[in-house]
Amino acid sequence: MSNEVYSNSGNTIKGKALRLEPIIMSGKSFGIKLLSVYEFLKCDLACRNLVDRLTGQGFDGDLCKEICEQACIISLCLYNKESERVFTDGLSVIMNLTPEELKNVYSQYENLTKKTTRFNKSSLKKIDYIKKNCLNNLI
């Protein structure tokens, strides 16, 4: 799905935006990206399945839910220098990262989300201002 082209009545979206934000983890350079809606849906399903698996092994459900959600997001958002996913799934994240590393990467993902949302809100305010003040003057 990463390089597919969609066409809808003349509107075309080519490729998929893969903006990697650089991060350092355990002395190594990685990149994180925002997830698409589809990736969030995949993440939700993977998280529920992983929570079921771990609680079936006797782990606490509430703790598993929080950790699995973060791990599944990390598995989809963390990339290496070759722009390849670092982890195959949430379980591989849990098995390979320390709690501190998981918390750090997830925190950086949240910061990227907040930064992007702030930019979008700021851009929308500017567009609204232009529409109201500049375009109305032209009409």
Side-chain angles (χ1 to χ4, degrees), residues 5-93:
V5 177
Y6 298 91
S7 194
N8 181 9
S9 303
N11 297 327
T12 303
I13 300 172
K14 295 183 179 180
K16 180 177 168 186
L18 184 64
R19 178 177 168 244
L20 293 178
E21 187 80 12
I23 66 167
I24 303 293
M25 181 176 64
S26 302
K28 296 180 182 177
S29 179
F30 295 93
I32 56 173
K33 72 171 193 82
L34 294 176
L35 300 183
S36 68
V37 174
Y38 178 74
E39 288 167 322
F40 262 111
L41 292 173
K42 284 176 49 176
C43 183
D44 181 60
L45 178 61
C47 179
R48 284 186 275 134
N49 290 336
L50 185 54
V51 168
D52 288 346
R53 179 177 178 180
L54 294 175
T55 54
Q57 295 175 15
F59 292 102
D60 177 69
D62 292 333
L63 182 60
C64 282
K65 186 176 181 191
E66 181 180 344
I67 291 172
C68 291
E69 180 180 313
Q70 294 177 10
C72 289
I73 287 174
I74 290 170
S75 76
L76 292 172
C77 80
L78 188 65
Y79 285 76
N80 62 19
K81 289 181 181 179
E82 292 78 32
S83 295
E84 302 166 328
R85 282 184 35 204
V86 175
F87 298 105
T88 56
D89 57 21
L91 183 60
S92 63
V93 172

Side-chain angles (χ1 to χ4, degrees), residues 100-113:
E100 293 79 17
E101 289 171 328
L102 183 128
K103 184 178 180 180
N104 181 37
V105 175
Y106 186 76
S107 173
Q108 292 192 50
Y109 178 80
E110 284 183 316
N111 290 339
L112 178 60
T113 302

